[in-house]
Amino acid sequence: MIAQQLLNGLIVGGVYALFALGFTLVFGIQKILNLAHGAIFTVGAFVSWYVVSLGLPLLLGILASIVVCGLLSMLVEFVCFSRLRKTGDEEFGAIISSIGAGLVIMTVVQRLSNTRVLRFPFETFPVRIYEFAGLRITLLQLFMVGCAALLVLALYILIYRTSFGRRIRAVTDNERASTLVAINPNATYRQVYFISGALAGVAGVLVGLAFSSIHFAMGEPYLLFAFVIVILGGLGSILGATIAALLFGMMQTLTIAFLPSGLTNTIIFLALFLILMVRPNGLFGKEAAGALRGRR
Amino acid sequence: MSDFIFNYIPVFDLFLLHLGFAFSQYIALRSGVFSLATAAFAGIGAYTAGILSVKLGLPSPVGIAAGVVLGTAAALFLSLPLSKLRGVYQAIATVAFVQIVVSLNIYLEGLTGGAMGLNGIPHTVGTPVLFVAAAGVAYMMWAINRTRLGRTFDVIREDEAVAVSLGVPMARYQTLGFALSGGIAGLFGGLEAHHTYALEPNQFGFTFLIAILSYVVLGGRSSVLGPIVGTAVLIALPEIARPLDENRVLVYGLLLILVINFLPRGIADTAIDRLRLRRVARSGSAPAKAGKAVET
């Protein structure tokens, strides 16, 4: 029973990781909390649903979500943050501005969907259940784990092993110095926002598939969960966010399974609060916070 | 004429209530604490007043006073851990606190009525009481701005390092500002409970938080007129035009983005600066230099 819950938690945690990574990536590079991230995630689920309901394959839907959410995230950066960064008051301003963007996106989605709760058609994903060593896992769950693992791995390789990743880290370290070596910081920022949005989009599709409840406000709880995850892992840390997301997924499924259901959120946010008090830099200490910095 | 007044009394009441909450948010930001906890203190005040009067049958002034005390106490308690954090981290910690209060209000069904809410609170607060309370708080804010306390808050908010180097006990002042924020929110929470008959746990959640924050951002964060102007504009807008009411959330979102990008100091503060500049220019002393001095 506990092993089954832990497995379920790991699977959900993988999806949380996708969502939280995009969030923490933006914070790591610009010290900006993008509160429109939840709304972008919602758009991801809706775009895929729309593509699938047109009769096209799911894979095409996921691709469409990646592109649309990536572009939307770039648009949010352009409209909400690019001007603020020049004034230097982006810490307060960006929070306000991205709350605004989130509200606008959510309302548009609400209008377009007429406030309905949508679900993917039943046969979108074949229902198959595997059993081994007493644990049950569905094909969909395997797909979710596969997607999450693949994308997280790809992100690692991208950031720590390619010249594009070196550019990102250079801009994070010192924006002015990076221009001296012919890096265009603004272009780099735009690319990071695209990646961030794309990850949120995929997370949206996976959550839509798994819980079959797609509605305009679905991103809000995930945004709040992402707070917990990125703080637990250290704001801006990629490795931290990945591990924290898995831990968080397991913690959440365990509290849901074994404690009175109303208390889940209380415990989650109490935990967040305590972590902030005891280790504001996350579980992995000071070095990990903003780990994009200072790693060659 | 009397019809006209009668129709607009509910709107005026709403304005007065939200003005109180806006002042609570204002004084926290004014003292340099990036707190979003006003929603939580309001919830604490409202539920305290509601529970004392429904479950114990105490008279409403007692309940409201208890709400003020508990709101202040919660703020004092919260200020201890909060003083260790800065900026974004304070914002996240206080959002977590808001979520804890909301989920506890849902969970403690025996006391708070759970998700169904708390009903049958005696209606004892009318427009005169609200007006006196709002005017009193406004006067308090004005008095604070006129004294050394207001100038100390200014220094802390502009530059913490300078404040500390001038021998300002920063933590003590921020605790004071934060406790005031808690007390004011507790007071108006209690007033709201006795003004609206019924309370509902999600009433004091994320949406409430955003609305209150919008008032202060739109109006301005430094003069007392800021919250008044911001609340008046955002409460009046949906009443002026029906289409604006239907798109209330969209309007809030767009306003947040536009104001923080193009009028980052808010309507009232910008207007006050303009007037001052003009007066200085008319009196003939070097306008450019004086303009700089006023801006800082």
Side-chain angles (χ1 to χ4, degrees), chain A residues 33 83 92 111 266 273 277, chain B residues 78 81 88 103 221 247 261:
Chain A
L33 277 189
R83 216 186 124 87
F92 181 80
R111 277 292 138 78
T266 314
F273 206 77
M277 297 312 125
Chain B
L78 198 60
V88 175
S103 57
R221 277 163 281 152
N247 296 302
N261 272 298

Side-chain angles (χ1 to χ4, degrees), chain A residues 8-276:
Chain A
N8 291 348
L10 269 181
I11 293 162
V12 182
V15 179
Y16 288 161
L18 288 184
F19 184 80
L21 277 177
F23 191 61
T24 206
L25 196 60
V26 164
F27 188 88
I29 194 167
Q30 281 188 338
K31 292 271 165 283
I32 276 178
L33 277 189
N34 180 9
L35 298 190
H37 204 60
I40 294 171
F41 160 94
T42 312
V43 170
F46 270 93
V47 167
S48 267
W49 178 86
Y50 188 67
V51 170
V52 168
S53 69
L54 283 178
L56 296 166
L58 177 67
L59 215 57
L60 208 63
I62 295 180
L63 278 179
S65 290
I66 288 178
V67 173
V68 172
C69 292
L71 292 177
L72 184 63
S73 171
M74 283 164 72
L75 183 70
V76 168
E77 193 267 343
F78 177 71
V79 174
C80 297
F81 304 142
S82 59
R83 216 186 124 87
L84 277 175
R85 265 191 300 114
K86 285 174 208 147
T87 65
D89 188 26
E90 70 254 32
E91 194 183 39
F92 181 80
I95 287 186
I96 307 289
S97 178
S98 63
I99 286 177
L103 291 180
V104 170
I105 297 172
M106 256 168 60
T107 326
V108 170
V109 171
Q110 186 184 13
R111 277 292 138 78
L112 291 179
S113 68
N114 287 322
T115 327
R116 276 178 302 162
V117 178
L118 307 171
R119 55 183 57 212
F120 281 102
F122 185 63
E123 64 277 18
T124 308
F125 210 89
V127 180
R128 226 168 277 154
I129 299 172
Y130 303 102
E131 246 179 87
F132 57 87
L135 295 176
R136 294 154 58 86
I137 187 164
T138 63
L139 186 62
L140 174 61
Q141 286 178 318
L142 279 176
F143 176 70
M144 286 161 70
V145 171
C147 263
L150 194 74
L151 286 173
V152 171
L153 200 67
L155 186 68
Y156 271 97
I157 294 173
L158 188 68
I159 287 187
Y160 292 118
R161 291 282 178 276
T162 64
S163 70
F164 172 61
R166 244 191 321 276
R167 276 210 299 281
I168 295 178
R169 284 178 282 141
V171 171
T172 311
D173 246 351
N174 190 332
E175 190 184 307
R176 272 175 70 90
S178 72
T179 58
L180 294 177
V181 288
I183 294 172
N184 178 351
N186 290 324
T188 313
Y189 290 142
R190 280 198 290 276
Q191 287 151 350
V192 168
Y193 272 89
F194 184 89
I195 296 171
S196 159
L199 289 172
V202 176
V205 181
L206 294 179
V207 167
L209 278 170
F211 301 111
S212 63
S213 139
I214 305 171
H215 57 101
F216 73 96
M218 67 190 276
E220 202 176 277
Y222 285 87
L223 187 65
L224 293 170
F225 295 158
F227 278 162
V228 184
I229 292 168
V230 298
I231 292 289
L232 188 61
L235 263 173
S237 158
I238 292 179
L239 179 68
T242 315
I243 295 172
L246 297 178
L247 281 177
F248 179 82
M250 292 192 283
M251 188 177 100
Q252 195 190 26
T253 41
L254 284 180
T255 50
I256 290 175
F258 297 110
L259 289 170
S261 61
L263 267 184
T264 313
N265 274 353
T266 314
I267 290 171
I268 288 172
F269 290 107
L270 208 57
L272 166 61
F273 206 77
L274 291 178
I275 296 162
L276 270 175

